[in-house]
Amino acid sequence: MALKVALVHDWLTGMRGGEKCLEVLCEIYPEAPIYTLVYRKGAVSPLINSHEIRTSFIQNLPRGIKHYRWYLPLFPAAIERFDLRGYDLIISTSHCVAKGVIVHPESRHLCYCHTPIRYIWGSYEEYFGGPRSSSMSGRMMTLLSPWMRVWDVISSRRVDHFVANSHAVAERIRRYYDRTASVVHPWVDTDAFQIGSEPGPDAPYLILTALVPYKKTELAITAATRLGRKVVVVGEGPERRRLERLAGSDVRFLGWLETGELRTHYRNCRALLFPGEEDFGIVPLEAMACGRPVIAYGRGGALETVVDGTTGIFFNEPTPESLSEAILKLESMEWDSEKIRERALAFSRQRYRDQMETEIEKVLRNR
């Protein structure tokens, strides 16, 4: 009898690193339905779109598809309402609540965890502290976050086997959930991102990110502007308007771009600026696949991808001054595009698929 599998993903509103990982699972299990809080048609790849997609009640709430984050307090109830009876295997890919689905005794549950919910754990202050604490959302989260932390820990017990996307995330899983996790790094599309012509000394620095507080985009803009360097910012998010107001004339905001345009900006940049502490970070690997060095904050997932002095430079303090020093250091060095790309080639799609299939076999053996 064929294995009956269900996939669970937080939301399907764009194709970022988490969705690319989900895509490989869709390839392994082409008949598996996908359960998700919200689905925006046309926002994900044809492979994901080819699956039956089952959404939560949040999909039908006022402006729920576009502004689903308004309904964060309802996420636990929404994910728990999915009926997953009859499945042999549930695979959740989770950075929010997907791992909290209720799993019945006959099923096994593997969670590929991008991070425990950052809004209520390590990044809580960046989202809701300081000046934001007096806003409506800040006051609401002051009341709700203790309850959500309790739910997050309790729901982690529904997972039979955790797989983390980095050693940094595996440590968070241990700290917050008291669970051990295997580590399988995400993959980078080295076919789509390849080396181009060497950019000139006046080439801009590139920032590619969701414009949300914990990404520290302001830090990178400030450092580059103080040095008089050009910057291209690719990405969208609630911080965009504020960042545009503080940025100088040498900073361009382009929103999200298709792969071809994005590849052009990777190839034409002096280096990628990666100023936040990330769970893992596909973006540095895409830049490295194009032969471009990375300046990254020396914590979190970047430590597992960037090789200091070979594929990029680390800065150690989350300040414009520390990042500025790293920019000047990078500009004083020679960089080998082929060696930089070689590092990215270690994170192939096939390697990710093979390692995930091994982890799936582990959890099925314990049925």
Side-chain angles (χ1 to χ4, degrees), residues 25-42:
L25 297 173
C26 290
E27 188 179 84
I28 298 171
Y29 298 109
E31 303 301 320
I34 303 171
Y35 291 81
T36 188
L37 296 178
V38 171
Y39 168 52
R40 188 179 299 156
K41 290 184 179 179

Side-chain angles (χ1 to χ4, degrees), residues 324-342:
S324 295
E325 289 177 11
I327 290 173
L328 294 173
K329 182 177 180 181
L330 179 136
E331 292 176 352
S332 71
M333 298 173 66
E334 296 291 329
W335 298 95
D336 185 328
S337 296
E338 293 294 343
K339 281 188 176 180
I340 293 172
R341 176 171 168 79
E342 187 179 330

Side-chain angles (χ1 to χ4, degrees), residues 259-285:
T259 299
E261 294 176 286
L262 181 55
R263 179 173 56 241
T264 298
H265 284 286
Y266 276 133
R267 289 173 170 177
N268 292 339
C269 74
R270 186 81 175 263
L272 176 79
L273 302 181
F274 198 65
E277 181 179 349
E278 287 287 348
D279 313 320
F280 176 69
I282 292 289
V283 169
L285 286 171

Side-chain angles (χ1 to χ4, degrees), residues 235-366:
E236 284 287 356
E239 290 275 281
R240 176 166 177 170
R241 288 185 180 179
R242 186 182 70 83
L243 292 169
E244 285 179 322
R245 286 194 296 268
L246 67 87
S249 59
D250 285 335
V251 180
R252 288 195 298 147
F253 289 79
L254 302 182
W256 291 121
L257 300 176
E258 297 296 328
T259 299
E261 294 176 286
L262 181 55
R263 179 173 56 241
T264 298
H265 284 286
Y266 276 133
R267 289 173 170 177
N268 292 339
C269 74
R270 186 81 175 263
L272 176 79
L273 302 181
F274 198 65
E277 181 179 349
E278 287 287 348
D279 313 320
F280 176 69
I282 292 289
V283 169
L285 286 171
E286 290 178 346
M288 287 189 280
C290 292
R292 305 316 305 145
V294 178
I295 299 177
Y297 182 42
R299 291 185 63 179
L303 294 173
E304 300 172 44
T305 57
V306 179
V307 180
D308 195 30
T310 301
T311 71
I313 295 288
F314 289 121
F315 66 100
N316 297 317
E317 299 295 332
T319 64
E321 293 76 17
S322 182
L323 178 50
S324 295
E325 289 177 11
I327 290 173
L328 294 173
K329 182 177 180 181
L330 179 136
E331 292 176 352
S332 71
M333 298 173 66
E334 296 291 329
W335 298 95
D336 185 328
S337 296
E338 293 294 343
K339 281 188 176 180
I340 293 172
R341 176 171 168 79
E342 187 179 330
R343 174 61 176 165
L345 293 175
F347 296 84
S348 70
R349 183 185 181 108
Q350 189 61 49
R351 184 270 323 160
Y352 172 78
R353 175 170 176 157
D354 291 346
Q355 290 183 355
M356 284 302 298
E357 288 183 320
T358 297
E359 296 302 324
I360 291 166
E361 283 300 317
K362 285 181 186 177
V363 77
L364 290 176
R365 282 199 299 269
N366 293 323

Side-chain angles (χ1 to χ4, degrees), residues 167-187:
H167 293 284
V169 168
E171 173 57 23
R172 293 178 209 166
I173 291 169
R174 183 202 63 76
R175 185 186 314 143
Y176 301 141
Y177 301 155
D178 195 24
R179 299 286 303 275
T180 59
S182 303
V183 175
V184 174
H185 292 124
W187 64 282

Side-chain angles (χ1 to χ4, degrees), residues 36-326:
T36 188
L37 296 178
V38 171
Y39 168 52
R40 188 179 299 156
K41 290 184 179 179
V44 292
S45 70
L47 179 55
I48 295 175
N49 278 325
S50 70
H51 285 243
E52 179 185 358
I53 297 174
R54 302 177 184 178
T55 58
S56 75
F57 64 81
I58 291 173
Q59 179 89 4
N60 300 314
L61 293 177
R63 306 187 76 180
I65 297 175
K66 185 174 183 181
H67 295 291
Y68 54 90
R69 288 183 179 87
W70 290 354
Y71 299 106
L72 175 63
L74 301 180
F75 285 4
I79 208 73
E80 289 182 343
R81 287 188 65 177
F82 286 133
D83 185 354
L84 298 176
R85 287 174 292 182
Y87 291 104
D88 302 300
L89 174 66
I90 291 110
I91 304 175
S92 61
T93 53
S94 183
H95 68 273
C96 192
V97 297
K99 64 108 177 70
V101 287
I102 293 177
V103 177
H104 292 266
E106 69 272 16
S107 306
R108 301 294 291 173
H109 179 190
L110 180 149
C111 174
Y112 186 70
C113 185
H114 296 284
T115 183
I117 310 175
R118 61 176 60 90
Y119 326 120
I120 62 172
W121 295 108
S123 298
Y124 175 81
E125 285 298 320
E126 291 165 336
Y127 275 93
F128 304 111
R132 297 180 181 89
S133 63
S134 59
S135 67
M136 183 180 295
S137 60
R139 291 194 296 269
M140 181 181 71
M141 286 305 295
T142 298
L143 297 173
L144 289 174
S145 57
W147 166 78
M148 288 200 69
R149 289 187 190 106
V150 171
W151 178 87
D152 196 40
V153 172
I154 290 173
S155 65
S156 71
R157 299 170 189 165
R158 301 170 189 165
V159 175
D160 293 301
H161 179 51
F162 274 104
V163 180
N165 72 352
S166 68
H167 293 284
V169 168
E171 173 57 23
R172 293 178 209 166
I173 291 169
R174 183 202 63 76
R175 185 186 314 143
Y176 301 141
Y177 301 155
D178 195 24
R179 299 286 303 275
T180 59
S182 303
V183 175
V184 174
H185 292 124
W187 64 282
V188 61
D189 190 346
T190 53
D191 292 331
F193 298 104
Q194 297 187 7
I195 295 172
S197 302
E198 192 72 18
D202 196 38
Y205 285 86
L206 178 66
I207 300 170
L208 173 64
T209 186
L211 302 179
V212 294
Y214 84 96
K215 297 287 189 176
K216 304 288 189 183
T217 308
E218 179 178 346
L219 188 157
I221 290 173
T222 301
T225 300
R226 287 181 182 177
L227 293 174
R229 304 305 192 263
K230 295 177 182 177
V231 180
V232 171
V233 181
V234 175
E236 284 287 356
E239 290 275 281
R240 176 166 177 170
R241 288 185 180 179
R242 186 182 70 83
L243 292 169
E244 285 179 322
R245 286 194 296 268
L246 67 87
S249 59
D250 285 335
V251 180
R252 288 195 298 147
F253 289 79
L254 302 182
W256 291 121
L257 300 176
E258 297 296 328
T259 299
E261 294 176 286
L262 181 55
R263 179 173 56 241
T264 298
H265 284 286
Y266 276 133
R267 289 173 170 177
N268 292 339
C269 74
R270 186 81 175 263
L272 176 79
L273 302 181
F274 198 65
E277 181 179 349
E278 287 287 348
D279 313 320
F280 176 69
I282 292 289
V283 169
L285 286 171
E286 290 178 346
M288 287 189 280
C290 292
R292 305 316 305 145
V294 178
I295 299 177
Y297 182 42
R299 291 185 63 179
L303 294 173
E304 300 172 44
T305 57
V306 179
V307 180
D308 195 30
T310 301
T311 71
I313 295 288
F314 289 121
F315 66 100
N316 297 317
E317 299 295 332
T319 64
E321 293 76 17
S322 182
L323 178 50
S324 295
E325 289 177 11

